[in-house]
Amino acid sequence: MSRLATGLHARRWLLAGSALLAGWLLYLPHSEAWFARWFPELERPLYQQEGFGTLVLAHLGIVTVSSGIAVLLGVSAGLLAGSRFGRAFRPLLETILAISQALPPVAVLAVAAPLVGFGSTPALIALILYGLLPVTQGTLTGMDSVDRDTQAVAQGLGMTRLQILRHVTLPLAAPVMLAGVRTAVVINIGTAAIASTVGAKTLGLPIIVGLSGFNTAYVIQGAVLVALLAIVADQLFEWLEERVTPHLPARAGS
Amino acid sequence: MIEIRHVNKSFQGQQAIHDLNLTLPAGELSVLIGSSGSGKSTTLKMLNRLIEPDSGSILLAGEDIRRQSPDSLRRRIGYAIQSVGLFPHWTVEQNIAAVPQLLKWPKSRIQDRVTELLTLLQLPPAQYRQRYPHQLSGGQQQRVGVARALAADPDVLLMDEPFGALDPITRHTLQQELIRIQALSGKTIVLVTHDIDEALLLGQHIVLMEHGRIAQQGKAQDLLLHPASDFVRHFVGQSDTGIRLLGLGKVGERVRQGQASGEPIRADRNLREALSLFVTRQVTCLPVVDEHGQASGVLHFNDLLGAAA
Ligand SMILES: Nc1ncnc2c1ncn2[C@@H]1O[C@H](COP(=O)(O)OP(=O)(O)OP(=O)(O)O)[C@@H](O)[C@H]1O
Ligand SMILES: [Mg+2]
């Protein structure tokens, strides 16, 4: 009963967040007067170089592609490092990932841009890099969290290694793996904004234009959208996580 | 029949099993017993190739188990362990159906089999088949674990301390059920335990292990009356031998004509329980009934010593 309650809870927040995002997007084109009252010193208080809808789609596009690739690579790396053959590589992998995570995003973009050119390519490289650690770590932790006895019994019942992976280990690891993906996506929604510094079209554009031109209204218009996107994505994963764990005892609270 | 021939097994240079030779009769419940680390689980796991021996061979129904792939061998052998290891994301029905699914049984046959097994293990199917493991008590989970091991009607059932983590009453109930299932199905069962009372109660053939070797094997009476060494004598319990022997006899074997008053005892109870009643009630004669509650005579205190009937 309380699982049902949290399920409804997550869905309610997801709907509320989406409604807020949609409302803000619809209102923005008509908000010039409102921002003008707020920032009377600005000549043009509403960012109009690009439509906000276009920017949101471009932003989501970059995040989706980079997260998709990060999930593909990260899950594969996690499965490999968690397997019998890859166990030896696990410490190396974890070190590389930790180092990649420690590099500041701006530095990665600054190094990548001259190498691969400006635009969305350096942005994708940086975002994939940042998505990899949480996804791989989530996969490894998720697989570790599966009860050894359960896997031993699966083997004792005559499941092949692949069957154990598919029917036992992966479904049981799924919630933790999904939590890793959730972190990656939410981080990437924020990081993608910075990628506008190397010419990628994202919601970072109004922010950066606003910062360099002392136009606080632009910054607010971009930043609020980024924040709302992150919240909606986060709630979407909250809801998904509940859907992949129908078997778990109801969690207390929340 | 299971034959283990000259099997050795070492882990990291430590020898866990020493030249083990053992024959476990078909259709009987054999018990492997011994103190912790004596090699019981290792022996059991070598039977379904979860562990491969370093040398020697193991025959199942006359055929070397290495002639089959481990996976197909395991699908012919039921396996249940103490921690149960039910799949938490599967319902009771899906858990029990695990091996039949692997064997690609038709759906309707699987459903019928699940119903049959839940009934056999006294879990009303309508009520339990759609539950998840976390919605079951420990004893119920244990039953489902046993049902899952029995699902594909394996010739052999391996059980590693299946009742280890249960309270005494639930354990007793499940032990009685195992006896019933074994009698009904005639399966070859190998059960690991370190509880001597469980071994004496269940084991038609008892193998007492010590440091990877067999200290003694035989029927319960053999171990109690003719211990082969001080270790065996100590393990089966020096002071309680008489009481334990009583635990092996049934009330029905000593019953006489006659009548007595008081709460009756069932003929299929063991003599140890009867002794307990004599002492607590301070009587020398108990009325006896059969399993349908029909009076079948009396049990005299003196007949506990045997030689009656
Ligand atoms: N996978 C393993 N790796 C290393 N050593 C092992 C392994 N499995 C068993 N052993 C060792 O082999 C010996 C026998 O172990 P086994 O599990 O067969 O004992 P057991 O009789 O089942 O004991 P218990 O009653 O505690 O379960 C022990 O000394 C144990 O430490
Ligand atoms: Mg053991």
Side-chain angles (χ1 to χ4, degrees), chain A residues 149 153 155 158 160 167 247, chain B residues 71 74-75 83 88-89 134 148:
Chain A
D149 279 342
V153 165
Q155 196 190 0
T160 61
H167 298 301
H247 59 282
Chain B
D71 299 324
R74 289 175 197 143
R75 290 172 198 177
S83 63
H89 57 310
H134 74 88
R148 179 175 63 180

Side-chain angles (χ1 to χ4, degrees), chain B residues 11-12 16 34-43 51 160-161 192 194:
Chain B
F11 293 106
Q12 289 121 30
S35 35
S36 192
S38 55
K40 310 180 293 290
S41 298
T42 305
T43 305
I51 294 179
D160 199 339
E161 301 190 36
V192 165
H194 48 224

Side-chain angles (χ1 to χ4, degrees), chain B residues 206-209 213-218 222-223 226-229 232:
Chain B
I206 299 177
V207 181
L208 175 52
M209 297 186 67
R213 296 189 171 86
I214 297 174
Q216 187 172 357
Q217 59 174 316
D222 300 334
L223 272 73
H226 313 289
S229 66
V232 178

Side-chain angles (χ1 to χ4, degrees), chain B residues 129-144:
Chain B
R129 69 192 312 150
Q130 296 307 334
R131 288 211 190 169
Y132 284 98
H134 74 88
Q135 297 168 318
L136 303 175
S137 73
Q140 290 166 341
Q141 291 184 13
Q142 209 52 263
R143 283 164 209 250
V144 176

Side-chain angles (χ1 to χ4, degrees), chain A residues 210-226:
Chain A
L211 282 176
S212 51
F214 302 103
N215 189 325
T216 315
Y218 288 5
V219 177
I220 291 173
Q221 286 150 22
V224 169
L225 277 177
V226 173

